[in-house]
Amino acid sequence: MRERYEVVVVGGGHAGAEAASAAARLGRRTLLLTRERAAIGRMSCNPAIGGLAKGQVVREIDALGGLMARVADETGIQFKVLNSSRGPAVQGLRCQSDRRAYAAAVAELLARQPNLSIAEGSAAGFLVRGGRLAGLRLEDGSELVCSTAVVTSGTFLRGLVHVGERREEAGRWGEAPSSALSESIRALGLRMGRMKTGTPPRVHGKSIDRSRILRSAGDPRPRRFLLRSRGEPFPFLPQVDCWLSHTTERTHELIRTNLGRSPLYSGRIEGRGPRYCPSIEDKVVRFPERERHTVFVEPEGHGTEWTYLGGLSMSLPADLQVEIVRSLPGLEQAEVLRPAYAVEYDVVFPEQLEDTLEMRALPGLFLAGQLNGTSGYEEAAGQGLIAGANAALVAGGQAAPPFTLGRREAYIGVMIDDLV
């Protein structure tokens, strides 16, 4: 059976959520296709929104009617303006989020959005008619007919998860990759590459000795991301403290003597990582003069003891990770709930896209998020909104001008211009 939609969005992460919401808000009959409903809005790495240059992107998304600012405000458990002693151009609002509450809030907003349906499934290829996208072929053999589609596959295209010598085909911990879709994109003649990103260990909050680490409090009067309701009273969630630890000479010794066990240095990982998010192995090797590196000890939300160790991304074996974590002050007895891992995945070189994020090789197909070689929730969401809006305009079949942002207008405009 063939179902018909005007816009289909593949993937329910931060890019997909904004793309689907934007297309539906512009009046198009839209489908969000996700492998798993429970994964919509999932924060794969740190449950945090905003920061330097990123907080501005969140507010731009809000100015365009997007979801991220609203959800961040509703589910934030610590708010802080970074660089608050400097001018507003270099300040960045950041919030630590309740991970589960954030995903639930995104899913709820999408479920209530008029013109938007949500279905579970996996895209495997494209239907083409007259040199344009005509629909999607799914892994189960069924087909979706649509005027336009937005692919926001994140780290799932031929995803490989690495923990030491252990390697597993996955786009995220315990989640199957999208290999068929990757091959279908490659068959369009696109130039593609491999990238890698990673996430640090999670530890049990009650196993941390907070008397030996530094308290990092939020701002006493939290600021909201949402600009549309500035000045209105807002019921923030109960706020929490984050904490700061640091690596030690013991940490660095463990890493240096075991570099051969890291797939990043043994050659098992081929992909390149984003410059602003290096692994701890990279930091120890590239900055040998540094005696310590900061580790951010951040709770993942109310009602859970899962705690995130920001700055400690790595791909070393799980048993060695326990030693490394316990070499940090305050974490000598830490219980590691899940090891850090690196994930390697296919990307499309985005200069092959228009500034609307439409693919030149197949008009009607748009790409957004980590598939375009970027990393970060905010960057993905900004791209998703632009791609979703333009997919809706094209699907309308009218000679409407494309929706783009210039370098002088928005941080999102600078990002997309740099990409394409």
Side-chain angles (χ1 to χ4, degrees):
M1 176 180 178
R2 286 189 166 198
E3 294 190 59
R4 295 178 179 272
Y5 294 90
E6 291 178 281
V7 180
V8 174
V9 177
V10 178
H14 304 280
E18 296 292 352
S21 175
R25 291 200 311 277
L26 285 171
R28 303 294 167 241
R29 184 169 182 249
T30 303
L31 174 70
L32 176 61
L33 183 70
T34 175
R35 281 182 176 270
E36 183 185 357
R37 282 178 178 267
I40 291 174
R42 182 169 289 168
M43 305 177 102
S44 307
C45 199
N46 191 4
I49 295 294
L52 301 179
K54 294 169 175 278
Q56 289 92 328
V57 170
V58 178
R59 283 182 161 158
E60 290 174 3
I61 292 167
D62 178 54
L64 294 167
L67 307 176
M68 182 168 272
R70 176 177 176 180
V71 176
D73 284 349
E74 290 178 354
T75 62
I77 55 177
Q78 187 195 83
F79 290 79
K80 181 181 290 188
V81 176
L82 308 181
N83 273 353
S84 58
S85 63
R86 301 184 182 182
V90 294
Q91 293 178 1
L93 178 60
R94 178 189 188 274
C95 80
Q96 188 74 11
S97 301
D98 185 304
R99 183 174 183 267
R100 287 185 291 196
Y102 187 97
V106 172
E108 182 181 356
L109 286 172
L110 292 176
R112 298 205 313 255
Q113 174 64 52
N115 304 316
L116 178 61
S117 301
I118 300 172
E120 291 186 336
S122 301
F126 309 108
L127 308 178
V128 181
R129 184 179 303 115
R132 294 188 58 85
L133 180 82
L136 298 174
R137 186 180 71 258
L138 306 190
E139 288 184 354
D140 64 6
S142 61
E143 295 179 347
L144 290 171
V145 177
C146 58
S147 301
T148 59
V150 185
V151 175
T152 66
S153 51
T155 60
F156 281 76
L157 293 191
R158 291 201 307 129
L160 278 176
V161 164
H162 297 263
V163 182
E165 295 181 355
R166 174 187 169 191
R167 184 168 66 176
E168 179 181 339
E169 293 186 357
R172 202 159 42 197
W173 186 269
E175 298 181 45
S178 298
S179 298
L181 183 59
S182 180
E183 293 306 317
S184 294
I185 293 175
R186 193 178 299 275
L188 296 173
L190 295 178
R191 195 165 64 90
M192 299 180 70
R194 294 285 277 175
M195 287 193 73
K196 76 96 181 168
T197 188
T199 190
R202 304 323 195 258
V203 300
H204 198 290
K206 289 184 177 178
S207 67
I208 300 168
D209 182 357
R210 289 175 175 78
S211 68
R212 304 199 63 239
I213 55 179
L214 184 66
R215 177 173 172 261
S216 178
D219 291 341
R221 296 184 63 185
R223 292 195 203 177
R224 297 181 66 182
F225 282 105
L226 198 67
L227 295 173
R228 288 171 284 172
S229 303
R230 180 175 280 180
E232 295 180 9
F234 186 77
F236 288 102
L237 291 179
Q239 301 293 284
V240 303
D241 289 329
C242 294
W243 303 82
L244 301 175
S245 185
H246 58 81
T247 61
T248 63
E249 180 52 41
R250 172 63 176 158
T251 314
H252 298 185
E253 178 187 355
L254 284 167
I255 292 169
R256 282 192 296 262
T257 57
N258 287 280
L259 279 176
R261 301 179 69 191
S262 167
L264 188 64
Y265 283 87
S266 67
R268 291 173 65 86
I269 292 179
E270 302 172 5
R272 298 176 58 189
R275 287 185 296 170
Y276 64 84
C277 190
S279 67
I280 190 63
E281 300 106 303
D282 266 342
K283 288 189 279 190
V284 169
V285 170
R286 290 167 54 191
F287 306 106
E289 74 284 359
R290 292 280 299 273
E291 294 182 356
R292 61 172 61 177
H293 297 279
T294 302
V295 175
F296 301 88
V297 181
E298 299 174 318
E300 290 209 345
H302 295 299
T304 179
E305 290 296 336
W306 278 58
T307 304
Y308 178 94
L309 299 184
L312 209 64
S313 293
M314 64 180 121
S315 55
L316 290 159
D319 58 341
L320 180 59
Q321 289 191 34
V322 175
E323 290 187 69
I324 290 172
V325 168
R326 291 178 178 175
S327 70
L328 310 180
L331 287 100
E332 292 88 351
Q333 305 298 321
E335 177 189 349
V336 176
L337 298 173
R338 193 181 74 192
Y341 65 89
V343 58
E344 193 177 10
Y345 53 97
D346 286 347
V347 297
V348 171
F349 290 103
E351 68 272 13
Q352 301 167 104
L353 308 177
E354 302 289 355
D355 54 4
T356 59
L357 299 180
E358 185 175 19
M359 186 185 292
R360 295 192 191 101
L362 183 58
L365 181 61
F366 295 75
L367 308 182
Q370 284 184 267
L371 173 58
N372 289 339
T374 63
S375 186
Y377 305 147
E378 303 82 4
E379 292 91 328
Q383 293 174 59
L385 193 151
I386 298 299
N390 282 290
L393 293 173
V394 171
Q398 301 171 351
F403 177 65
T404 60
L405 296 171
R407 296 186 71 93
R408 296 184 179 185
E409 295 177 287
Y411 279 71
I412 294 173
V414 174
M415 171 180 65
I416 292 179
D417 188 56
D418 281 351
L419 286 172
V420 305

